[in-house]
Amino acid sequence: MVLTRGGGRYRVRTLSGDREASLRGRVKERDDHRVLVGDRVRLAVDGEQVTIEEVLPRHSVLQRRSPGQNKGTRHIAANLDQVIVVGSAADPTWEPAMIDRFLAVAEVNHLPVHLVINKIDLHPAWEELAAPYRAVGYDVFGTSTVTGAGVDTLRQHLAGHVSLFTGPTGVGKSSLGNAVDPNLTLRTGEVSERSRAGRHTTVTAEMHPLTDGGFLVDTPGLRDIGLWGLTPPEVASAFPEIAKYAEGCKFDDCRHDTEPGCAVRAAVDTGAVAASRYTSFRRLLAEALEAARWWA
């Protein structure tokens, strides 16, 4: 299993220990076999020289569109069992639009996704932040690395699984990983006093074995995250509650804006769909429509 990659070198966990490996030429030429953290690979060993000969079939891949108009994707990790989106109740401020974006990326990659609200010691009313997501059906964990609240529960949820931590910069993903398993010793940073945004401490995705079994993939904090050229129906599918109510819309191609007979908008009016989630959906839908023009 590939644990880290960088500078053309890969750290691979084998039954006989971790080995440093490089890519064989034919693997380099296959873009669909680009080696990712989490990949299972076949190695060739010739003395001290270790090369990756083959990437074995993946059961999942997490990828996202690169920010901007450069028509590229960023492949993040492979063979994940679940994605854990981490936000902070405070410092930096809770941002539903960003949280919804990270959840949507996991949804469109068809990966189970759960939400952690960290730093709950700074926001005693954090359950109010969790309510719209619990209403959708997401598992929401409240945690604090200061008081230890929720850490044991999260540890149990990670045990035996390959999990990826993702979320905005500065929300404490690495500190939370260290709290879950002190053997990880992940790099941590402080929140910038000027912007109240976090400083990047993780540069690339890194996979770490957990003492209780399973692996944790730590990822860089992100201030901007793009979606992969989605169509409007795909954006709707990234919001489970909107996809549910969309089945009752009068028109099959309803964009849930001003169309008559829109069941989604009616659900927003009654509170069955949270207004913040609907706002996030509308923003991502606008991006998808704009992206369709770039990609035409």
Side-chain angles (χ1 to χ4, degrees), residues 5 21 30 71 75 92 102 128 204 211 236 245 249 253 281 295:
R5 62 175 188 166
R30 294 286 301 277
K71 299 186 179 183
H75 296 72
F102 281 99
E128 296 175 3
T204 60
T211 301
Y245 285 102
C249 289
D253 61 350
F281 161 75
W295 288 70

Side-chain angles (χ1 to χ4, degrees), residues 55-137:
V55 178
L56 301 181
R58 300 161 175 160
H59 69 75
S60 67
V61 177
L62 180 64
Q63 63 181 13
R64 67 182 182 88
R65 197 188 71 212
S66 299
Q69 303 182 18
N70 58 3
K71 299 186 179 183
T73 54
R74 293 184 183 178
H75 296 72
I76 299 171
N79 299 313
L80 300 172
D81 296 324
Q82 58 186 358
V83 173
I84 310 296
V85 175
V86 183
S88 61
D91 195 31
T93 304
W94 176 257
E95 296 185 56
M98 282 292 288
I99 296 301
D100 291 339
R101 192 173 289 260
F102 281 99
L103 292 171
V105 168
E107 292 281 2
V108 299
N109 280 276
H110 307 292
L111 284 164
V113 58
H114 312 283
L115 178 60
V116 169
I117 301 178
N118 196 27
K119 305 184 185 182
I120 60 173
D121 55 295
L122 301 178
H123 195 304
W126 69 272
E127 289 279 6
E128 296 175 3
L129 307 178
Y133 300 94
R134 289 205 169 111
V136 174

Side-chain angles (χ1 to χ4, degrees), residues 172-242:
K173 294 184 297 298
S174 296
S175 295
L176 186 58
N178 290 336
V180 166
D181 190 338
N183 291 326
L184 295 183
T185 63
L186 305 178
R187 290 173 295 173
T188 62
E190 300 297 327
V191 173
S192 166
E193 289 297 328
R194 174 177 295 182
S195 66
R196 306 313 297 167
R199 299 187 178 97
H200 295 278
T201 54
T202 306
V203 178
T204 60
E206 299 177 348
M207 176 171 278
H208 306 272
L210 295 171
T211 301
D212 293 337
F215 292 84
L216 177 64
V217 181
D218 191 28
T219 61
L222 301 170
R223 294 190 180 93
D224 186 16
I225 183 167
L227 295 177
W228 170 255
L230 301 179
T231 65
E234 288 172 325
V235 174
S237 72
F239 291 77
E241 71 276 41
I242 289 177

